[in-house]
Amino acid sequence: MTEQSTTKQELFTNLPAVDQILQQPAIQNLCTLHPDKYVSNCIRKAIDEVRQEIIAGSITKTEYIPTIDDIICRIEDFVQQGLGHKLIRAVNGAGVILHTGLGRAPLAPSAQASLANAVSRYCILATERETGKRGDRNRHTSEMLRELTGAEDSLIVNNNSAAVMLTLNTFGNGCEAIISRGELVEIGGAFRIPDVMARSGNIMIEVGTTNKTHLRDYKGAITENTTILLKVHTSNYRIEGFHQEVSISELSALAKENNLILLHDIGSGAMVDLRRWGLEYEPTVPEAIADGADVVTFSGDKLLGGPQCGVIVGRKEYIDRMKRNPLMRAFRCDKLTISALDGTLKLFLDPDKLPETHPIYSMMTVPLDIVNRRAHRIARRIRDVAGEFLTIKVEDSVTEMGSGALPARPIPSRVVSIIAKNLTAERLSLSLRFSNPPLFTRIEQERVIIDARTIADEEVKLFTKIFSRCIELKDTNKWSNQPLSTGLDKTKRGDDLPAIG
Ligand SMILES: *Cc1c(COP(=O)(O)O)cnc(C)c1O
């Protein structure tokens, strides 16, 4: 009995001191991100956790005491969990490029720089330098959008849904808007063209059939109460086979003849022709403008891979009318969005460089052999730290564009597939979501799949850390017996840590 407690006493003396841990680079880094006191608190909790394990008798020898690196992992977990459900960085191994759940587009470095520059202090968001008076916040991006799209003017709102709503509401209020039955799309749950039409105060006049609509259908539906022809890009599905739609140039001629406004919601089309990279054709904004659309709306994250926003481009007189719509106040963007959009748009001035400058284009165009090598590097790191618990393979698969965006056809990819010896795929993927940083995967045929195309080269090294944690979980019984909903000791750890921010 006395002998036992002496041993424990010895073990305690082998625990690292708070000051010693504070010297570690990883912890110093944490101290730059969070208040020192908060980090120290987490260090104490991590050491105390090990102490409790000694007291409970689950650590009986010096060599079983977690290494400094293990303890640092625990500290990082405490820091993260103490922050609750905050926006933390995640690794996207799910193979969906514009993953709405993971924040759609990772911003390009130039967008990040533009954003940091604008928000670190004051910026000239809505002030004119010439007069010192109120200016138009849209002017920061208008020149570039004119250059890129050929449209006279532009306007930025919070998302493309707002763009469509604002456009329809400005021109159609109480009047008739004509749309083909083949284009009455739903974009994820709440956004359905017929509902948006109704909410914007338009009377929707459907023409044609699901698969075929002719110019004469539109022509026959025009009355003196008609103000709008609306064309919607079916960005999240394709009609193939016996199919016909009316082109923008034909609709433009019809609109001109009848003094109507031609609106085109291109949603997630493209800014530049994607065929130059061997990807599937998507209609582009400059084409729509050149073909005679009066106003074109699109999504800043889906179409440009920028911040969430909606972009409206078109004839100046129409843009001016939209700016005067009282809804504008509710839809307008702040400096975060406008600066990030500015930094994203710039990249499209040099489209050939997009695969190097823009993360989304880089993911879409990176050659398969490079994806393959990345997958093998990921697999090697996983094998090094958790190989004995897992069956790991590198296989062919595909990456989805996501968010109903860009090429509907999936892009060939290489993935790491994992079967855990003691865990179900569900269980392993849960564990990985609670890792630090969280890793998101997909499950196919009871295997956890990690797509190397949506992972950045600089993220590959993180796999050592992510999977080291899984060994820990399997060594102890804490995890396999726990109900799924509690998630990896989440309630035990960090409950009483101070919330920050
Ligand atoms: C995505 C999409 C929308 C909605 O855009 P958000 O930016 O997600 O609000 C509207 N119309 C079309 C055609 C779309 O593809």
Side-chain angles (χ1 to χ4, degrees), residues 104 159-162 164 185 187 191 193 232-236 265-268 298-302 308-310 403-404:
R104 287 195 179 164
N159 47 41
N160 188 37
S161 310
V164 176
V185 298
I187 312 282
F191 187 90
I193 290 290
V232 178
H233 175 43
T234 55
S235 37
N236 54 2
D265 177 21
I266 204 168
S268 66
F298 58 93
S299 182
D301 42 6
K302 289 196 300 185
Q308 177 196 298
C309 64
S403 303

Side-chain angles (χ1 to χ4, degrees), residues 42-58:
C42 294
I43 296 175
R44 254 176 241 113
K45 283 197 152 272
I47 297 175
D48 192 52
E49 192 180 54
V50 182
R51 190 172 287 128
Q52 293 304 325
E53 285 166 19
I54 294 173
I55 291 170
S58 48

